[in-house]
Amino acid sequence: MCKPVQSVKSVSYMKQRINLLIAFSVAALIVLSAVQCYLVKTTYDYKVAQFHTQIKNEIAQISNNYSDIDSVLVSRKETLYTNLSEKYFQGKKSKTDIKNGILENEYRSALTAEIQRKFERDLPNFKIDFAIVLNKFILYQNTKKADTIFSEKPFIQNKLYGNLASLNHAFLVRNYVGTTNGTFKNQDYKLLTEDSMYVSVIDWEMIILRRMAFVLVLSLFSILTLITLFVIALKALIKQKKVSDVKTDFINNITHELKTPLATLGISTKILEQKNIRDNDESFNSIVNTISRQNNRLQSLIDQVMANSLAENEIELQKEKIETEVFLQTIVNDFKIGYPKIHIQTHFETQKTNLVLDKFHLTTALLNVLENAVKYGSNTITIKTKQIEDQFSISIEDDGIGISKNKQALLFEKFYRVEQGNLHNTKGLGLGLYYVAQIVKAHQGSVNVISDLGKGARFTILLKV
């Protein structure tokens, strides 16, 4: 029987709604993650700027000039600058010679070592490499126009002293502007120089990351929380969709199952209204028997739904000690009466095994498995028993159409029915195997299935001995 149009529309609407919610959730997660990353990047940039400012301030406290580092070396530096300036005035030195003379100064190594020691002494928490580069060397003589001997952007090639090999990962700490007044041949002149100090703190990235540890952990926790909530919400949506599909299938199935006996009862009631039927005892009894059977069928459907509303820990078992092989043979004999065309084989590897079981519920559970095999195309059923350590094994193997691997995990779920090929039209409420699982669990046992599509199925029930 086909599903009602309204149910199909409802399922379609639910799928669209879930897909829309998933798309919205993914978009929201991406946006929130992007915002989180932006905030972390902004914080990182702020921490880097803050770190640079700290280094600048601490170096500024160490020295405002080189005079307090080594006055002799500074004096030699000023003397060199004066000599080079006078030789330039005399025409003995070109601008290139002046530049080379400054950069190849003899106090380069000594002054580098002095500054390095001062950093190590006054800034013990940081390992600092530095370079002081020459930017400008300009002479002013009387009122003449300034004579620019040298003026360039900071380059490591113009390093006066220091141990840095590159300025790529270094940052500017400060500029040193110096002026020197002198007299050459009774003419006053002024020398303007500009040096820049660049420093690079070894492992500065790790220092920044350690200072950002709380922010990073909090951000990571936030992102993981968002992802976790997204996954939980996604699982809930998928579960809701499955529940909705199951509910729709159950309503359609129960409607289908109820319509047949109700229609039969309606027709039988109308037939009984005919006088000729009432006067014919044989016809009358036949109709009454039909009504009785359909009434029993309705009652059976209602009882099945009610019984399966209980969990395994809510089922009240009436246990008694029974000889299991005799119990199973009785079930087989009764089943043969109802299904004479089905060939049933028994291979009991155990004898006189006494177990404490609920005969009524376990009989119903085993009959559900047998009827399920017939329902899904089986002609031959084999029942085997054996003892595996402290467990009693009952296996029911059939030659039906089998079950695909991806469907097997759902077999024992409430209301689940395999919809594959022509099985969509198979009658049932999807409660039989669920009931089997609940009864076996109530006996502290387990049930599993092994099957391949087109190769039948084997259900194994394990009970404690």
Side-chain angles (χ1 to χ4, degrees), residues 9 41 56 67 143 148 156 222 225 227 242 270 305 318 328 372 391 399 415 424 427 444:
K9 288 183 177 179
K41 179 63 169 59
K56 290 178 182 179
S67 58
T143 58
T148 302
I156 193 64
S222 300
T225 301
I227 294 174
K242 287 183 177 179
K270 288 183 178 181
V305 174
Q318 302 296 325
L328 292 174
N372 197 70
Q391 291 184 313
D399 61 349
F415 305 130
H424 181 74
K427 294 182 179 180
Q444 284 79 52

Side-chain angles (χ1 to χ4, degrees), residues 47 51 54 126 206-214:
K47 288 291 184 181
F51 179 71
Q54 177 190 354
F126 304 106
M206 292 304 301
I207 295 173
I208 299 296
L209 291 177
R210 281 196 294 269
R211 293 183 179 185
M212 288 181 61
F214 177 75

Side-chain angles (χ1 to χ4, degrees), residues 64-98:
N64 290 322
N65 203 320
Y66 309 128
S67 58
D68 60 343
I69 296 176
D70 192 318
S71 58
V72 175
L73 290 174
V74 173
S75 175
R76 289 169 62 187
K77 169 192 167 186
E78 292 178 350
T79 301
L80 174 64
Y81 282 7
T82 300
N83 291 336
L84 290 173
S85 299
E86 290 179 357
K87 287 180 180 181
Y88 177 75
F89 289 140
Q90 294 173 0
K92 296 180 179 181
K93 294 284 185 179
S94 65
K95 292 183 178 181
T96 302
D97 293 334
I98 298 294

